[in-house]
């Protein structure tokens, strides 16, 4: 499953994963079978003309010292972030890794089905998938929850904090028009390191949906810089290079391999003709939705 940071989240991301999705309400066909997102819709731009007679005051930060310390690592020149995502509707944990070096960013998420993610090498954004052994160079960068909460300067709250002994917690809430998203960050009381955080999505008339990310590493260094090389694309099929006819043939062949029937296509509002214009995310969403049901095994 690819976590697309599906809605509800803190940033607009192609309601993309690496649910990192990644990653319901507001879901597209590419997101079925993945957890809910962690990014809210973009805030409308303020187009009002400022009053130049009075100097504007910078907004007062609402971010606590512990989350701010984590953000300082992630806003630096380099970082490594590793965590494991769990949620009630996930069949297995999702292992997420994110690396940054200068203007380069890499994120992957892995389950027993395989690895999926994106790479921004400073020139292009590559989205890749090892279940289908394909990629596109027309991908999108997924925002990180920690960076998003800080940049949005979300207010601190205390609605349902559940700290364990030896922990301190900071809670932040985003109030949408039709939903509420609460982020609880748990830190080690002694050294201040981030241990885990939960994302709770609430929509009127629906049960709360909770994701938990348990952090195994957050450091200001990167091991192998080779991870930022797009050389891996040489072993994968370039989805974005297909003509409409070749795309239809490729998608039809993979659907057959994964046992996706015509009836299942119709139930998703699609036919074989849809493959001529289908985008990468929607196609992978279809494959993951039904490959999950048959154990991810091609026929």
């Amino acid at each position: 499953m690819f976590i697309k940071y599906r809605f509800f989240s803190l940033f607009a991301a192609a309601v993309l994963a690496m649910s990192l999705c990644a990653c319901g309400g507001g879901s597209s066909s590419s997101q079925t079978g993945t957890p809910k997102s962690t990014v809210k819709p973009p805030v409308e731009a303020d187009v009002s003309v400022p009053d130049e007679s009075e100097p504007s005051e910078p907004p007062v930060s609402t971010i606590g010292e512990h989350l701010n310390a984590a953000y300082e690592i992630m806003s630096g020149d380099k970082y490594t972030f590793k965590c494991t995502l769990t949620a009630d509707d996930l069949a297995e944990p999702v292992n997420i890794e994110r690396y940054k070096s200068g203007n380069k960013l890499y994120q992957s998420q892995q389950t027993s089905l395989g690895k999926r993610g994106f790479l921004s090498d400073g020139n292009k954004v590559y989205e890749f998938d090892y279940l289908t052994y394909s990629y596109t160079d027309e991908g999108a960068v997924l925002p990180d929850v920690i960076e998003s909460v800080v940049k949005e300067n979300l207010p601190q709250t205390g609605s349902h904090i559940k700290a364990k002994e030896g922990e301190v917690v900071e809670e932040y809430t985003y109030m949408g028009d039709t939903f509420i998203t609460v982020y609880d960050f748990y830190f080690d009381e002694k050294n201040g390191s981030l241990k885990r955080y939960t994302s709770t999505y609430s929509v009127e008339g629906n049960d709360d949906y909770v994701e938990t990310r348990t952090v195994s590493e957050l450091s200001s260094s990167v091991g192998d810089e080779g991870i930022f090389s797009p050389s891996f694309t040489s072993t994968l099929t370039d989805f974005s290079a297909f003509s409409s006819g070749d795309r239809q043939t490729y998608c039809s062949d993979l659907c057959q391999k994964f046992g996706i029937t015509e009836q299942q296509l119709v139930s998703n509002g699609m036919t074989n003709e849809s493959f001529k214009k289908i985008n990468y995310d929607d196609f992978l969403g279809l494959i993951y939705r039904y490959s999950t049901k048959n154990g991810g095994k091609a026929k």
Side-chain angles (χ1 to χ4, degrees):
M1 288 185 267
F2 186 48
I3 295 142
K4 288 285 265 190
Y5 283 114
R6 193 199 270 192
F7 208 80
F8 318 93
S9 290
L10 258 155
F11 272 29
V15 184
L16 195 213
M18 179 189 167
S19 65
L20 139 228
C21 35
C23 354
S27 63
S28 69
S29 61
S30 66
Q31 297 157 334
T32 304
T34 64
K36 292 183 175 66
S37 124
T38 41
V39 185
K40 73 177 178 68
V43 177
E44 275 191 36
D46 182 1
V47 295
S48 61
V49 178
D51 183 356
E52 297 183 357
S53 63
E54 297 182 7
S56 59
E57 292 290 335
V60 177
S61 174
T62 60
I63 306 303
E65 61 173 322
H66 292 90
L67 187 61
N68 193 61
Y71 173 70
E72 286 182 358
I73 295 176
M74 303 192 81
S75 60
D77 186 61
K78 295 184 179 183
Y79 72 74
T80 294
F81 178 69
K82 298 180 181 181
C83 70
T84 300
L85 167 66
T86 55
D88 287 343
D89 67 342
L90 292 180
E92 60 179 298
V94 181
N95 297 314
I96 300 172
E97 297 185 0
R98 188 176 176 103
Y99 303 91
K100 173 191 172 186
S101 181
N103 66 345
K104 299 177 181 179
L105 188 64
Y106 172 95
Q107 179 172 307
S108 69
Q109 51 196 59
Q110 186 159 9
T111 65
S112 60
L113 291 180
K115 181 185 291 187
R116 187 178 174 190
F118 72 87
L119 165 66
S120 175
D121 68 351
N123 296 307
K124 292 183 177 181
V125 179
Y126 301 87
E127 188 177 338
F128 58 87
D129 172 67
Y130 281 94
L131 176 61
T132 59
Y133 277 86
S134 61
Y135 81 96
T136 178
D137 60 7
E138 300 172 346
V141 172
L142 294 180
D144 174 77
V145 172
I146 296 172
E147 294 173 302
S148 298
V149 169
V150 174
K151 289 179 180 179
E152 288 289 313
N153 199 27
L154 293 186
Q156 285 201 55
T157 53
S159 59
H160 53 71
I161 288 173
K162 297 178 181 179
K164 298 178 182 178
E165 186 176 354
E167 293 180 340
V168 292
V169 60
E170 292 177 5
E171 179 181 287
Y172 301 86
T173 297
Y174 173 74
M175 302 289 293
D177 293 334
T178 58
F179 65 90
I180 300 173
T181 309
V182 180
Y183 302 93
D184 294 305
F185 296 90
Y186 298 87
F187 305 87
D188 187 285
E189 188 175 37
K190 293 183 178 179
N191 60 28
S193 62
L194 178 61
K195 298 177 66 175
R196 71 185 188 283
Y197 64 90
T198 61
S199 305
T200 303
Y201 311 105
S202 302
V203 177
E204 188 175 355
N206 293 277
D207 293 336
D208 286 356
Y209 181 91
V210 183
E211 296 174 346
T212 299
R213 289 169 174 80
T214 302
V215 179
S216 57
E217 181 178 351
L218 176 56
S219 62
S220 54
S221 63
V222 173
D224 182 7
E225 294 270 348
I227 199 168
F228 301 110
S229 169
S231 59
F232 64 87
T233 58
S234 63
T235 64
L236 304 177
T237 299
D238 184 356
F239 191 88
S240 55
F242 283 135
S243 66
S244 60
D246 288 341
R247 181 169 300 193
Q248 181 183 36
T249 299
Y250 175 80
C251 294
S252 297
D253 287 348
L254 274 182
C255 283
Q256 184 176 5
K257 289 181 180 179
F258 284 100
I260 299 174
T261 66
E262 184 176 349
Q263 182 179 356
Q264 289 170 330
L265 289 180
V266 172
S267 68
N268 284 272
M270 301 170 63
T271 66
N272 191 57
E273 283 292 308
S274 304
F275 291 145
K276 290 183 177 180
K277 297 182 178 180
I278 194 170
N279 63 43
Y280 189 63
D281 287 339
D282 287 345
F283 173 64
L284 289 185
L286 184 70
I287 294 295
Y288 271 80
R289 184 178 310 123
Y290 293 108
S291 65
T292 300
K293 291 181 179 180
N294 70 14
K297 298 179 181 178
K299 290 184 175 181

